[in-house]
Amino acid sequence: MSLLEPEPINVLVVDDNKIVASVLAKLIDAERSLSVCNVARSGAEALRLDDALMPDIILLDVVLPGISGFDLISPLRAKWPTSKVIMLTFYHNDEYRQQAFSAGAAGFVPKTDVPELLVQTIHAAMGRPSRSV
């Protein structure tokens, strides 16, 4: 990393589907400007992570066991106040999008659009221009 390049954006992935979480982590780690700092398989697991983790971005599934992603935004933002939340879901509809932003999400990406939009949405949430590997 040169002096001109910013530090990688640290991303926490919160998704109960092991395959989806693995694919997201691989996509993120393939991008030079991003780094996976941890993966949690539930909201409770995410909330138990060390406060010092300090993710820049939290990729948060809408449907999680025990607590919805929408209801998890506030406790995660209380735990890591500078973190930005990007909601992910297979359910691509305007009601979910509106609910995500009303709950405090900085972005919303349908899982079907992840390869095309994920990196761009992360960079936009962080106020950085998007660039490829």
Side-chain angles (χ1 to χ4, degrees), residues 11-15 20-21 24 28 58-64 69-70 85-92 96 100 105 107-114 117-118 121-122:
V11 180
L12 167 61
V13 176
V14 183
D15 198 302
V20 171
L24 289 169
I28 292 162
I58 302 169
L59 292 182
L60 182 58
D61 189 13
V62 167
V63 179
L64 293 167
F70 300 124
V85 175
I86 296 174
M87 299 297 296
L88 300 170
T89 184
F90 279 119
Y91 306 102
H92 185 3
Y96 273 15
F108 181 92
V109 178
K111 288 182 180 177
T112 55
D113 296 338
V114 161
L117 296 178
L118 184 63
T121 303
I122 291 170

Side-chain angles (χ1 to χ4, degrees), residues 9-71:
I9 297 168
N10 289 315
V11 180
L12 167 61
V13 176
V14 183
D15 198 302
D16 62 319
N17 185 303
K18 186 176 182 177
I19 294 170
V20 171
S22 176
V23 168
L24 289 169
K26 286 179 181 174
L27 283 169
I28 292 162
D29 280 339
E31 180 68 28
R32 186 175 64 222
S33 63
L34 306 176
S35 177
V36 174
C37 61
N38 215 319
V39 176
R41 301 280 307 282
S42 70
E45 184 180 342
L47 290 170
R48 285 191 305 265
L49 292 172
D50 188 343
D51 290 353
L53 183 66
M54 294 303 295
D56 299 308
I57 294 288
I58 302 169
L59 292 182
L60 182 58
D61 189 13
V62 167
V63 179
L64 293 167
I67 185 171
S68 81
F70 300 124
D71 293 334

